[in-house]
Amino acid sequence: MSDTQSTHTTSPRKLITPLNTLAVIAVLAVLYFAQSLLIPLVFSLLVALLLNPLVSRLKQAHVPRIISSVTLLTVLLTPVVWLGAELAEQRSG
């Protein structure tokens, strides 16, 4: 046996697992620190996706897109605001 062939090199496969682990940790850290921005963004995208079919139907009925969007958001948010006001009133007095 030759001692020149026993050089210690790290194979690329042995580096993949630690690098993947570091990448996952980095992504999770970024998501954790960006949650105050990402949660409202994801919620607004979800609302937009859910309301899009209704807005499209109203547009087919020749209602302008902005009017149908504002109307649907008003109909959606009115009970939420009312419930929040009722709960705040009960808590304060």
Side-chain angles (χ1 to χ4, degrees):
M1 285 195 183
S2 172
D3 286 332
T4 59
Q5 290 181 349
S6 65
T7 59
H8 296 290
T9 59
T10 305
S11 69
R13 283 186 172 240
K14 289 183 180 179
L15 286 177
I16 290 175
T17 303
L19 289 177
N20 284 345
T21 304
L22 286 175
V24 168
I25 291 171
V27 167
L28 290 175
V30 167
L31 288 175
Y32 176 76
F33 288 115
Q35 71 182 351
S36 62
L37 174 70
L38 291 177
I39 290 174
L41 182 66
V42 169
F43 182 73
S44 63
L45 288 172
L46 180 66
V47 169
L49 285 172
L50 290 174
L51 293 181
N52 191 36
L54 295 171
V55 171
S56 296
R57 287 212 179 173
L58 288 172
K59 188 175 180 187
Q60 289 175 352
H62 304 292
V63 177
R65 193 167 188 84
I66 188 72
I67 292 175
S68 60
S69 297
V70 169
T71 304
L72 286 173
L73 283 175
T74 302
V75 168
L76 180 72
L77 291 178
T78 299
V80 174
V81 170
W82 178 79
L83 181 64
E86 287 293 319
L87 291 175
E89 184 179 317
Q90 287 178 2
R91 183 176 176 165
S92 65

